Amino acid sequence: MSVRTRFAPSPTGYLHVGGARTALFSYLYARKHGGTFVLRVEDTDEARNTQEARDAIFAGMRWLGLDWDEGEGKGGDYGPYNQSERRANYDRWFEVLRDKGRVYEDGGAWRFRFERKPVVMQDLVCGEVTIDYRDESNTPDMVVRRSDGSYVFHFVNVVDDLEMKISHVIRGEDHLMNTPKHLQLFEALDAPAPHYAHIPLIQNPDGSKMSKRDTGAAVGDYPRQGFVGPAVVNFLALLGWSPKSEEEIFTMDELIARFSLEGVNRAPARFDAEKCAWVNQQHLLKMSPSFFAESARPFVAEAGLPTGEAYSAVAPLVREKVRLLTEVPAAIGYLLQDDFAIDPEAMEKVRANDAAKDLLEALARDFLALPEWSVGATKQQIGETAKAAGAKVGQLMFPLRVAISGRAGGPDLGDILGVLGRQRCVSRLRSFTATLA
Ligand code: GLU
């Protein structure tokens, strides 16, 4: 049997990390098994569905790289893929239930007659779960069709999984207790049920259930917060799945190769924003310098900094210094513009060094006299200038960094000098020494 999985969001809000993770696991499972990944929109709740929510779901999935094979914009043999367009399909299967005597009218609505027996499900993550339907008072027959003619979630969800030939339903644990109802419906419709895998919920760092309003909940916020799609995919994968090794950084292809439902944890996953930022940093470090510059460019432009040739040359220098792309403008500003702020604490330290002013003035002169400007030549000159003044090189390095960048730390000093060029370095040194008493 070929593997067919689906993501079945209800477009009533933005794409939540929990939903995105469900989509990711369904996607990984399909890709791993050479199967098909279906996107079905469960838009039966007319009062709560919005076009914006639909668009946010599609945009979020595209940003994460979860390209679906059937559904919105793709077509497929089992459409339509919006529940709002499948009315005739539901009517047809409802008739099947009626013919079999499995539904009865109750005040205008129609109830499904459960088989009064224990229903055992073998969940691929949760294991065996049994729900006993023998006591009708605990498990009353359920409404499948409302008095206004609309069908309930359980019924349409089952009909769609049946018609779309879904082999594996991977969804959140909040649906675990719906599954016995779904199994009863499959049986009544004489159709084999798919395999089910219910994945553990996501909790906030404090252990409370993560809801739509919690920090980090909306996938749509991630791009402008400076995250990159592959990093968020990686982070979501680790939220409830374990590769059973110490490794943590994976590309999508590596996740496809490694993913298994056996690797999905039984316990709830804890959302950790710091971890997400760390994973993002690891993905930035794996980017080529030019791709990094490209990815950060919109943030730098938005901060009002130039993004031309000079930007492309300096961007790689700060790649190792940021976790999020939003941090790039602050990290790079002094490399692009001469009016940068000086960190007061760093300035304090320079002022405490009596030799700083003379050393920096000597260095400015020596820099001007250098026959050629290169990273190696500037580094060598720093050593020589310090030595000539009877100082240690460290006594010069720190004030030099502050004079050139306004801060105590950053990329390699030689690299900074190299990209800034001789004239800029000398003029920064001079305006800085002018501020020293
Ligand atoms: N529309 C349902 C939800 O968003 C889908 C449940 C399922 O995956 O079966 O929770």
Side-chain angles (χ1 to χ4, degrees):
M1 185 176 67
S2 67
V3 166
R4 290 176 57 83
T5 65
R6 85 309 193 263
F7 178 48
S10 302
T12 55
Y14 52 73
L15 182 61
H16 183 267
V17 285
R21 188 193 51 164
T22 299
L24 172 63
F25 286 12
S26 303
Y27 172 85
L28 292 176
Y29 194 80
R31 288 288 172 271
K32 165 140 199 153
H33 296 279
T36 304
F37 176 53
V38 177
L39 174 57
R40 171 173 88 226
V41 183
E42 301 212 327
D43 57 348
T44 51
D45 188 346
E46 275 173 46
R48 293 175 63 222
N49 294 326
T50 67
Q51 184 60 39
E52 266 162 281
R54 280 179 76 87
D55 293 344
I57 290 166
F58 303 149
M61 289 180 69
R62 288 196 185 101
W63 183 70
L64 292 170
L66 306 179
D67 51 314
W68 53 96
D69 305 304
E70 293 176 21
E72 178 78 14
K74 290 279 164 85
D77 292 341
Y78 303 93
Y81 292 89
N82 293 319
Q83 288 189 333
S84 57
E85 297 166 38
R86 298 179 54 78
R87 177 68 204 215
N89 306 56
Y90 305 139
D91 286 341
R92 212 161 44 238
W93 288 99
F94 178 75
E95 285 312 315
V96 173
L97 289 182
R98 192 148 63 175
D99 289 349
K100 289 172 175 278
R102 291 299 300 269
V103 288
Y104 57 92
E105 210 177 340
D106 177 13
W110 287 81
R111 282 187 187 276
F112 173 68
R113 210 185 293 280
F114 282 130
E115 267 201 60
R116 297 297 160 191
K117 62 176 187 184
V119 172
V120 183
M121 55 178 169
Q122 306 291 345
D123 189 271
L124 294 175
V125 174
C126 304
E128 187 174 293
V129 182
T130 304
I131 297 287
D132 196 341
Y133 281 86
R134 278 176 301 192
D135 181 353
E136 212 174 317
S137 64
N138 292 335
T139 51
D141 290 342
M142 68 171 168
V143 169
V144 286
R145 182 175 150 134
R146 301 184 190 89
S147 52
D148 64 3
S150 65
Y151 294 99
V152 305
F153 159 73
H154 302 296
F155 182 70
V156 298
N157 186 263
V158 163
V159 167
D160 290 352
D161 284 338
L162 188 169
E163 289 201 336
M164 295 178 186
K165 296 196 163 46
I166 300 303
S167 64
H168 292 76
V169 169
I170 300 171
R171 61 185 175 191
E173 205 183 295
D174 46 332
H175 286 290
L176 182 64
M177 286 305 144
N178 293 329
T179 304
K181 296 175 183 157
H182 299 182
L183 292 175
Q184 286 247 12
L185 280 168
F186 273 104
E187 209 177 276
L189 297 170
D190 282 326
H195 297 288
Y196 287 91
H198 289 87
I199 55 184
L201 297 181
I202 302 176
Q203 297 178 337
N204 288 313
D206 67 2
S208 60
K209 181 175 183 284
M210 195 173 189
S211 82
K212 300 217 169 206
R213 277 162 298 279
D214 287 312
T215 318
V219 172
D221 290 345
Y222 282 70
R224 63 176 169 274
Q225 285 171 353
F227 290 95
V228 294
V232 176
V233 161
N234 187 161
F235 171 72
L236 289 175
L238 297 177
L239 215 48
W241 168 78
S242 148
K244 301 216 165 24
S245 79
E246 295 298 301
E247 288 162 88
E248 296 198 278
I249 301 305
F250 302 101
T251 62
M252 185 73 98
D253 285 344
E254 287 164 349
L255 288 173
I256 291 169
R258 304 282 293 260
F259 186 76
S260 75
L261 289 171
E262 291 77 54
V264 174
N265 308 328
R266 199 48 207 92
R270 286 270 167 109
F271 184 86
D272 180 348
E274 282 302 305
K275 174 82 180 262
C276 191
W278 177 80
V279 172
N280 200 64
Q281 180 176 35
Q282 304 313 306
H283 279 262
L284 296 183
L285 286 173
K286 293 210 306 185
M287 286 179 174
S288 71
S290 61
F291 188 62
F292 173 77
E294 222 29 69
S295 307
R297 177 170 270 124
F299 296 89
V300 175
E302 205 187 324
L305 292 167
T307 56
E309 245 172 79
Y311 163 73
S312 305
V314 300
L317 292 194
V318 302
R319 193 171 56 141
E320 286 175 28
K321 304 291 168 192
V322 297
R323 296 190 310 164
L324 303 170
L325 293 175
T326 43
E327 295 164 6
V328 173
I332 212 173
Y334 68 87
L335 293 170
L336 296 169
Q337 287 183 329
D338 291 322
D339 62 333
F340 49 87
I342 305 234
D343 171 41
E345 223 173 284
M347 191 65 190
E348 245 352 88
K349 273 201 191 165
V350 174
R351 286 193 195 282
N353 173 356
D354 292 335
K357 188 176 162 80
D358 289 346
L359 280 170
L360 292 176
E361 278 170 353
L363 186 65
R365 274 194 305 275
D366 294 342
F367 271 177
L368 270 183
L370 270 180
E372 54 136 20
W373 188 257
S374 68
V375 174
T378 57
K379 279 189 166 166
Q380 195 181 339
Q381 186 58 60
I382 296 165
E384 282 168 14
T385 305
K387 197 169 165 207
K392 291 208 184 74
V393 72
Q395 274 181 290
L396 173 53
M397 286 294 240
F398 186 79
L400 171 59
R401 182 180 283 282
V402 179
I404 294 289
S405 72
R407 53 185 74 195
D412 179 80
L413 199 44
D415 289 343
I416 300 178
L417 297 170
V419 297
L420 285 177
R422 188 198 310 255
Q423 287 315 321
R424 273 182 126 169
C425 289
V426 169
S427 79
R428 284 185 187 191
L429 280 172
R430 291 203 162 137
S431 35
F432 185 78
T433 50
T435 70
L436 292 174

